[in-house]
Amino acid sequence: MAEKNKLELLGLTFQELTELMRNFGQPAYRSRQLWQGLYRERRSSLEQLTNLPLSLREQISTQGYSIGLPSIQKRFTSTDGTVRYLIEFADGQTVETVWMPEGDGGEEGDGSESEARSYDRATICVSSQVGCAVDCQFCMTALLGLLRNLSAGEIVGQILAVLNDQQVDIESQRINLVFMGQGEPFLNFDNFVKAVLLLVEGVGIPESRMTVSTSGIVPRITDFGQLTVRPKLAISLNASNDSSRRELMPITKKWTLEKLMAAARDFPLRNRERLTFEYVLLGGVNDSVQNAREVVELLRGLKAKVNLIAWNPGPEIPYTTPSPERVEAFQQALIRAGIPTFVRKPRGRDIFAACGQLKRTTDLVSIS
Ligand code: SAH
Ligand code: SF4
């Protein structure tokens, strides 16, 4: 386990690092070197920050600082190549981060047969909190409850740990990030926003390759729209009317579908950008063609696309996965109404790595 009570460098902005170096009596260019070493070169220990003189590294250490890179406690590898990482932070808390080689789960492939090239394209699914407070009835993460928020440094750190483990060259490999792991990013908004800035400016992943998914924290959707640097937005719709959504996602009692859709309509989209709506299909619950028609009405006039996710099973959760025919019928109903609609291919279901399955399962015997 990493040491406790250390001050962590990861999470500090360029300005904050500059301030720190000034306090250490260092020339300004040292902050640029430290920033580069931490985020672009992803050095994992002070000893490895070899672009800094030994005396400075020692000074940083005696002042109580460490890099603060989380460690990889476990790896689970799926038959489809997906890897679920159990990432451990300094206080011993863990979250999951999922590595999905070859794109974004196949939801919007270019139609060509993609060769199984060695990972020049991959998506990382990122956690923003340990557990989640939102309590969606179909989601395994909800069973953990909210254990704590991740700091900006921890949000970034889990990504760096995975990039290092996969030996990613950020200049030549195309990495997408989806903030769709454990937690509700918009209930840890400031740390999430800070992490995005560090990832864009420090690590070198453009925000155009990032998507954040929210269960519908309405005031934060509005705040998010005002940011100059922001990922794309996905909204977890998951129901076609208010009463159904209240049951599936209790948060709907606070922020009704009407308020959520109003925020979506007001959301300032960039050139050629669309909102994404995710819709988990639960067999016999929200997956009828009538439900699809209601979704069409909800989305009328919006520049939107829909990602359908057939429910990923987990123990203790009383739903079923609809048949492929029912998924197809739902999809076709939306497509006929002119809404681009994709079915998200499940990734890593066999290792509990797929959407809604992240609850730190280590006993894989319970799968199936
Ligand atoms: N908390 C955020 C992001 C993480 S969840 C949110 O809810 O949007 C990412 C997606 O997985 C959400 O769209 C959610 O509705 C979906 N999901 C949750 N549990 C699922 C399950 N068991 N099967 C399929 N999708 C699920
Ligand atoms: Fe939290 Fe998202 Fe799961 Fe809902 S679906 S409980 S918001 S992680």
Side-chain angles (χ1 to χ4, degrees), residues 36-83:
Q36 291 272 343
L38 287 175
Y39 295 109
R40 193 61 62 112
E41 296 161 16
R42 312 191 308 253
R43 306 288 169 120
S44 52
S45 65
L46 290 177
E47 298 80 69
Q48 282 186 21
L49 279 174
T50 45
N51 56 352
L52 300 180
L54 181 61
S55 59
L56 174 54
R57 281 181 268 151
E58 284 172 352
Q59 189 184 6
I60 294 174
S61 170
T62 43
Q63 296 293 323
Y65 283 90
S66 69
I67 289 198
L69 193 71
S71 58
I72 294 172
Q73 195 192 70
K74 284 202 167 67
R75 282 178 198 81
F76 302 93
T77 304
S78 165
T79 50
D80 68 17
T82 299
V83 182

Side-chain angles (χ1 to χ4, degrees), residues 108-134:
E108 286 171 85
D110 56 9
S112 63
E113 285 289 314
S114 60
E115 299 280 328
R117 277 163 299 164
S118 63
Y119 318 128
D120 58 352
R121 220 178 137 207
T123 297
I124 300 175
C125 180
V126 180
S127 292
S128 54
Q129 300 180 305
V130 187
C132 185
V134 178

Side-chain angles (χ1 to χ4, degrees), residues 18 41 55 75 133 154 164 170 201 233 243 290 300 309:
T18 305
E41 296 161 16
S55 59
R75 282 178 198 81
E154 289 172 328
N164 285 349
I170 210 75
E201 293 166 6
L233 180 63
S243 70
Q290 178 54 30
R300 199 168 288 286
I309 319 172

Side-chain angles (χ1 to χ4, degrees), residues 138-139 180-181 183 213-215 236 238 278 280 309 311-312 355-356:
F138 43 79
C139 172
M180 300 185 184
S213 172
T214 181
S215 57
S236 295
N238 296 339
E278 295 147 295
V280 183
I309 319 172
W311 182 67
N312 294 310
C355 296

Side-chain angles (χ1 to χ4, degrees), residues 85-209:
Y85 289 91
L86 205 56
I87 302 278
E88 181 174 11
F89 300 107
D91 66 351
Q93 271 299 356
T94 52
V95 294
E96 287 142 314
T97 311
V98 182
W99 167 262
M100 293 171 277
E102 279 301 308
D104 47 16
E107 58 189 291
E108 286 171 85
D110 56 9
S112 63
E113 285 289 314
S114 60
E115 299 280 328
R117 277 163 299 164
S118 63
Y119 318 128
D120 58 352
R121 220 178 137 207
T123 297
I124 300 175
C125 180
V126 180
S127 292
S128 54
Q129 300 180 305
V130 187
C132 185
V134 178
D135 203 25
C136 304
Q137 299 298 295
F138 43 79
C139 172
M140 284 176 73
T141 307
L143 300 174
L144 293 174
L146 176 65
L147 299 169
R148 70 170 174 83
N149 279 335
L150 295 187
S151 67
E154 289 172 328
I155 295 174
V156 175
Q158 69 187 296
I159 299 164
L160 300 185
V162 170
L163 292 174
N164 285 349
D165 193 59
Q166 297 287 342
Q167 300 178 358
V168 169
D169 172 9
I170 210 75
E171 310 293 337
S172 68
Q173 287 169 274
R174 193 187 148 110
I175 300 297
N176 296 301
L177 298 182
V178 294
F179 294 89
M180 300 185 184
Q182 282 186 25
E184 166 49 59
F186 283 8
L187 290 179
N188 186 17
F189 191 73
D190 294 347
N191 290 335
F192 158 72
V193 170
K194 188 175 183 191
V196 166
L197 287 174
L198 295 171
L199 288 161
V200 172
E201 293 166 6
V203 182
I205 303 176
E207 80 249 40
S208 57
R209 294 206 200 131

